[in-house]
Amino acid sequence: VRAAVMRAENEPLVIEELTGGSLLGARQVLVQVDATGVCHSDLTILSGAVPLPPPMVLGHEGAGTVLDVGGLVTRVKPGDRVIGTFAPVCGDCWFCLHGEGQYCRNAMSVMLEYPWQQPDGTPVMSMSGLGTFAEQMVCHEWSLVPVESTLPAEQLALIGCGVATGVGAALNTAAVEPGSSVAVIGCGGVGQFVIQGARIAGAAQIIAIDPVEFKRDTAVGFGATDVLDPTGLDVPREVRKLTGRRGADYVFEVLGRSQTMLDAFKATRKGGTCTIVGMASNDDTVTFAANDLYAQGKRLLGCYYGGSQVRRDFQRYVDLAETGRLDIGGVITQRLPLSEVNDAFTAMKSGTAIRTVLTP
Ligand SMILES: [Zn+2]
Ligand SMILES: [Zn+2]
């Protein structure tokens, strides 16, 4: 199959012909990739900020159709529409049994498989056990969630990362209350879904903060009531001005940078909730004023995968989209063939795209 392979850090991906998909393990599934989104985390891996060894098929936000299954597979069958989860869930470990499947104990074992080979026999890993930048993927059944849906594949693809992370951050992690004030720092794909999640939860005020004008405009279309260009501004001060001098009830950081994490914490009102959604670089460190946690009672929440329980929530996000309460298609600003994957990264770096979707 054709796949976009990362051969080295910071080098363009190379379209290669890989083999191996016909040899399915007992719990493995062969999936035809119908669409895949290009997420900032793909760029984070490519840049080496979170080191993973090449060669690797990148891509972790995809949807497709099951072509074939190994002998012991029970969760999916050929013909099923499936969404990939970048956090595999075994269903039986302590975390899976406690409604925190995103931390599944057994996930790593299925993410370190090498399903493909290059023509010279070199084994190739798949990012997060998925590797969606390809015509097909071979993954463990724990990495797939079947859904009932008539949505186009490009929308199902985004549920696998952007929607689950962003909408989940608002609904699951922070549990935004109706009538509350919300500020979102970073209005890329995930940030736009945090904004929509806050709107779905019934927030009265949603402040969208991003230096790129068209991202702020997009945010208004998705429910933002105020916008801020943070360039040269003291963001916490501006947020307090917009929220009765208190700070926002809920602040979300969706960039993964220590400076904006600190801004998010400072922009949170006393007793409010600051949720860190962004994926940071491994060597970044953030320092908070210790007394803000005590005397100001601020709650600081980490957020992995939007707290989504994928086997419960993927269908929930599908249902919200099918009834028009969640706009997934509106976040897609560019559609490209798989062979032009490097152009998607260029657009991401220049801030001219919110979400690019690739089709094989
Ligand atoms: Zn992602
Ligand atoms: Zn588990």
Side-chain angles (χ1 to χ4, degrees):
V1 300
R2 280 165 61 247
V5 177
M6 168 183 168
R7 289 183 178 172
E9 287 173 8
N10 285 312
E11 281 181 19
L13 302 187
V14 180
I15 303 292
E16 293 187 24
E17 195 70 35
L18 304 177
T19 57
S22 55
L23 302 164
L24 287 184
R27 307 288 298 272
Q28 282 185 322
V29 181
L30 179 67
V31 179
Q32 167 190 302
V33 178
D34 295 324
T36 172
V38 183
C39 170
H40 208 275
S41 307
D42 297 305
L43 190 58
T44 303
I45 302 298
L46 185 58
S47 72
V50 176
L52 286 173
M56 177 162 55
V57 180
L58 288 188
H60 62 283
E61 184 182 73
T65 310
V66 174
L67 296 174
D68 197 8
V69 297
L72 297 178
V73 169
T74 58
R75 287 192 193 174
V76 297
K77 58 184 187 307
D80 281 355
R81 299 190 85 191
V82 289
I83 300 173
T85 165
F86 66 74
V89 282
C90 76
D92 294 319
C93 74
W94 191 94
F95 288 101
C96 283
L97 291 175
H98 287 75
E100 298 185 62
Q102 69 270 39
Y103 311 121
C104 174
R105 270 261 153 88
N106 298 311
M108 204 49 82
S109 65
V110 304
M111 291 164 77
L112 296 176
E113 291 174 357
Y114 290 78
W116 303 110
Q117 290 94 46
Q118 289 174 315
D120 68 355
T122 306
V124 182
M125 241 177 117
S126 297
M127 178 176 175
S128 306
L130 293 172
T132 59
F133 293 173
E135 291 174 312
Q136 297 177 355
M137 51 185 180
V138 172
C139 32
H140 196 284
E141 63 172 328
W142 295 347
S143 299
L144 297 171
V145 177
V147 291
E148 293 279 340
S149 177
T150 54
L151 291 175
E154 61 177 28
Q155 295 190 27
L156 294 184
L158 266 57
I159 288 175
C161 179
V163 171
T165 303
V167 177
L171 298 184
N172 296 323
T173 309
V176 170
E177 288 189 10
S180 55
S181 59
V182 171
V184 179
I185 302 179
C187 300
V190 174
Q192 301 288 349
F193 286 122
V194 173
I195 288 165
Q196 292 205 53
R199 187 200 67 224
I200 291 165
Q205 182 183 26
I206 302 173
I207 305 165
I209 304 165
D210 197 284
V212 180
E213 186 178 16
F214 98 91
K215 292 183 181 177
R216 297 195 299 272
D217 293 344
T218 303
V220 170
F222 288 146
T225 55
D226 300 87
V227 293
L228 277 180
D229 176 356
T231 314
L233 286 185
D234 178 344
V235 168
R237 213 177 115 215
E238 297 301 317
V239 170
R240 280 194 293 275
K241 272 194 212 162
L242 290 167
T243 52
R245 307 205 166 279
R246 292 187 301 276
D249 299 327
Y250 300 91
V251 182
F252 296 87
E253 197 275 355
V254 201
L255 291 170
R257 292 183 204 141
S258 50
Q259 183 53 51
T260 41
M261 289 180 192
L262 191 54
D263 277 349
F265 190 61
K266 288 179 179 169
T268 304
R269 71 160 167 83
K270 287 181 182 175
T273 302
C274 176
T275 305
I276 305 300
V277 185
M279 179 187 187
S281 151
N282 269 357
D283 55 8
D284 201 0
T285 305
V286 58
T287 308
F288 298 92
N291 217 28
D292 284 0
L293 291 165
Y294 167 72
Q296 301 200 8
K298 292 188 186 185
R299 298 196 303 153
L300 177 61
L301 304 180
C303 178
Y304 181 59
Y305 216 168
S308 293
Q309 302 314 297
V310 294
R311 300 172 78 191
R312 174 194 74 191
D313 287 340
F314 279 5
Q315 186 67 46
R316 183 184 179 207
Y317 303 138
V318 165
D319 294 345
L320 283 166
E322 287 188 342
T323 53
R325 282 159 175 80
L326 171 63
D327 181 353
I328 301 177
V331 174
I332 301 167
T333 49
Q334 184 173 226
R335 293 166 178 84
L336 293 174
L338 176 64
S339 55
E340 291 171 33
V341 57
N342 292 304
D343 293 347
F345 286 122
T346 308
M348 184 185 291
K349 287 182 201 161
S350 65
T352 55
I354 295 178
R355 231 356 165 239
T356 301
V357 169
L358 307 173
T359 43

